[in-house]
């Protein structure tokens, strides 16, 4: 059933299930006395999502279970929607107070925490070698099996055939290895709401179609408060300088924006230099250094726009694209991060883009 998210008579309820941490389809019971919390989605973070829960009094967590956040939306006719928001592992559980007034704050990390390394998850203790002629999706499946992760390969995922062996150093996190392999295939590692690791095809955000529309001036719109935004144009470099050294020799390449460009001294009144040292410049020539500087200058000159605003509840995932409809102008923005208040059921969104 399609839900009109602009309705003011919708009611929301949260149920938190305890699930077997080794078999996320096995429900052990329910968490009690949950009074609020936050759900955090982040497109650019390695582990993609996390959550926090506040429990007052006896909560009944058994000390090992993963937790699943289930959301019900109802109106006067009854249940309209039941959805799983997130499944994660408890990585912190501080408490304060006594008896019925004791407050426990549970921190939940996504299933990718098991791959993160750096003191948080597992690493390839003896290194890891991908053999020549191996397929990227098979490699990711193998990593999932040996680390106990449940994996889904979505239908749009693409594959990659390794032309030569690829060696990852000992101590490298499984997450960085899996992400590198996925990147070679043109894929992205994500997490499903039920806690499974998933592999899907990467689509450049600016090429995505909008997932939903918002109109900040609509009488029954779902935008909350006034929007805000920013641009990084004022920090764009005027010059990029690339320097490389080999023994007692060195080469330098310089690229400068055109006179009249918004980052030029003639327009902005001051210059900004970006200095880069390269140890692997090939060929080792001034022309190659200059070509690299030009490439880096072009990459650094693309303006990045941001938009932030509140939103009444609607189903949302990081990476979705919002179409902002203001007057006759339509712009697309990718959800880069989103925080859901599990008490008020409102989103705080940070978006990037501004594409037409």
């Amino acid at each position: 059933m399609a839900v009109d998210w602009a309705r003011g008579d919708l009611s929301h309820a949260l149920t938190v299930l305890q699930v077997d941490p080794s078999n996320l389809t096995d429900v052990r019971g329910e968490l009690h006395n949950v009074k609020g919390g936050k759900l955090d989605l982040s497109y650019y973070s390695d582990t993609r999502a996390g959550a926090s829960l506040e429990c007052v009094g006896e909560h009944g967590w058994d000390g090992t279970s993963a937790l699943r956040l289930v959301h019900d939306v109802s109106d006067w006719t009854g249940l309209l929607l039941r959805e799983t928001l997130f499944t994660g592992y408890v990585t912190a559980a501080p408490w304060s107070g006594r008896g019925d007034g004791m407050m426990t704050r549970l921190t939940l990390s996504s299933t990718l925490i098991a791959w993160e390394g750096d003191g948080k998850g597992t690493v390839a203790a003896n290194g890891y070698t991908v053999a020549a002629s191996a397929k990227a999706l098979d490699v990711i499946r193998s990593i999932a099996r040996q680390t106990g992760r449940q994996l889904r390969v979505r239908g749009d995922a693409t594959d990659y055939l390794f032309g030569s062996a690829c060696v990852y150093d000992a101590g490298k996190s499984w997450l960085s290895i899996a992400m590198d392999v996925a990147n070679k295939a043109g894929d992205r590692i994500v997490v499903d709401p039920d806690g499974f690791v998933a592999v899907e095809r990467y689509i450049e955000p600016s090429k995505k179609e909008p997932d939903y529309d918002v109109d900040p001036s609509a009488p029954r719109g779902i935008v909350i408060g006034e929007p805000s935004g920013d641009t990084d144009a004022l920090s764009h470099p005027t010059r990029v300088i690339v320097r490389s050294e080999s023994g007692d020799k060195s080469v330098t390449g310089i690229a400068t924006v055109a006179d009249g460009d918004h980052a030029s001294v003639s327009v902005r009144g001051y210059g900004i230099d970006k200095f880069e040292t390269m140890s692997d410049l090939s060929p080792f020539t001034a022309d190659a250094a200059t070509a690299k500087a030009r490439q880096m200058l072009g990459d650094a000159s693309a303006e990045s726009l941001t938009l932030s605003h509140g939103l009444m509840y609607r189903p949302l995932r990081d990476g979705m694209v919002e179409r902002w409809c203001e007057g006759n102008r339509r712009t697309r923005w990718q959800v880069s991060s989103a925080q859901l208040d599990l008490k008020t059921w409102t989103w705080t969104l940070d978006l990037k883009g501004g594409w037409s």
Side-chain angles (χ1 to χ4, degrees), residues 72-151:
D72 287 347
V73 182
S74 306
D75 67 1
W76 64 273
T77 66
L79 182 68
L80 299 177
L81 173 70
R82 173 167 292 162
E83 60 177 347
T84 297
L85 296 175
F86 175 74
T87 302
Y89 293 87
V90 178
T91 51
W95 58 270
S96 61
R98 297 183 299 159
D100 292 342
M102 182 177 71
M103 170 70 78
T104 304
R105 294 176 173 84
L106 303 175
T107 299
L108 280 64
S109 299
S110 84
T111 190
L112 288 175
I113 192 75
W115 284 359
E116 192 174 18
D118 194 24
K120 299 176 182 177
T122 56
V123 301
N126 299 306
Y128 188 75
T129 300
V130 178
S133 300
K135 291 185 176 181
L137 294 178
D138 287 340
V139 172
I140 297 172
R141 290 186 182 100
S142 176
I143 292 173
R145 281 194 302 271
Q146 62 185 292
T147 56
R149 295 301 91 193
Q150 294 167 294
L151 180 72

Side-chain angles (χ1 to χ4, degrees), residues 250-315:
S250 65
V251 293
T252 301
I254 299 175
T256 306
V257 299
D259 192 38
D261 184 275
H262 74 277
S264 65
V265 176
S266 63
V267 172
R268 193 164 53 190
Y270 60 93
I272 298 175
D273 285 342
K274 181 177 181 180
F275 187 90
E276 294 288 337
T277 300
M278 294 190 65
S279 59
D280 57 350
L281 181 68
S282 180
F284 184 71
T285 64
D287 286 346
T290 300
K292 189 64 179 178
R294 287 172 179 162
Q295 177 192 332
M296 296 174 71
L297 181 65
D299 293 342
S301 298
E303 185 177 13
S304 178
L305 301 174
T306 61
L307 173 69
S308 299
H309 65 81
L311 197 71
M312 291 170 59
Y313 185 80
R314 57 148 292 128

Side-chain angles (χ1 to χ4, degrees), residues 5-209:
W5 298 109
R7 289 175 56 177
D9 62 340
L10 298 177
S11 62
H12 302 268
L14 176 68
T15 301
V16 181
L17 302 177
Q18 301 191 53
V19 297
D20 188 321
S22 299
N23 180 5
L24 297 175
T25 61
D26 183 9
V27 177
R28 292 176 169 178
E30 190 173 324
L31 193 70
H32 307 301
N33 296 321
V34 179
K35 302 303 180 183
K38 308 285 185 184
L39 171 65
D40 290 288
L41 308 176
S42 181
Y43 184 85
Y44 294 101
S45 76
D46 286 345
T47 54
R48 311 307 190 203
S52 61
L53 296 172
E54 296 181 351
C55 304
V56 178
E58 179 56 47
H59 48 72
W61 180 55
D62 65 11
T64 63
S65 288
L67 299 178
R68 176 167 294 142
L69 281 55
V70 180
H71 175 217
D72 287 347
V73 182
S74 306
D75 67 1
W76 64 273
T77 66
L79 182 68
L80 299 177
L81 173 70
R82 173 167 292 162
E83 60 177 347
T84 297
L85 296 175
F86 175 74
T87 302
Y89 293 87
V90 178
T91 51
W95 58 270
S96 61
R98 297 183 299 159
D100 292 342
M102 182 177 71
M103 170 70 78
T104 304
R105 294 176 173 84
L106 303 175
T107 299
L108 280 64
S109 299
S110 84
T111 190
L112 288 175
I113 192 75
W115 284 359
E116 192 174 18
D118 194 24
K120 299 176 182 177
T122 56
V123 301
N126 299 306
Y128 188 75
T129 300
V130 178
S133 300
K135 291 185 176 181
L137 294 178
D138 287 340
V139 172
I140 297 172
R141 290 186 182 100
S142 176
I143 292 173
R145 281 194 302 271
Q146 62 185 292
T147 56
R149 295 301 91 193
Q150 294 167 294
L151 180 72
R152 289 175 178 155
V153 176
R154 295 180 179 167
D156 64 347
T158 57
D159 214 339
Y160 170 81
L161 185 69
F162 282 80
S164 59
C166 184
V167 179
Y168 296 94
D169 294 337
K172 195 88 168 170
S173 75
W174 288 116
L175 185 55
S176 64
I177 294 172
M179 286 185 168
D180 185 66
V181 172
N183 184 62
K184 292 181 189 303
D187 291 328
R188 176 175 161 82
I189 302 287
V190 296
V191 288
D192 279 349
D194 56 10
F196 283 62
V197 179
V199 184
E200 64 182 19
R201 182 167 66 96
Y202 171 76
I203 301 174
E204 188 178 327
S206 63
K207 296 180 180 177
K208 289 183 179 180
E209 292 298 316

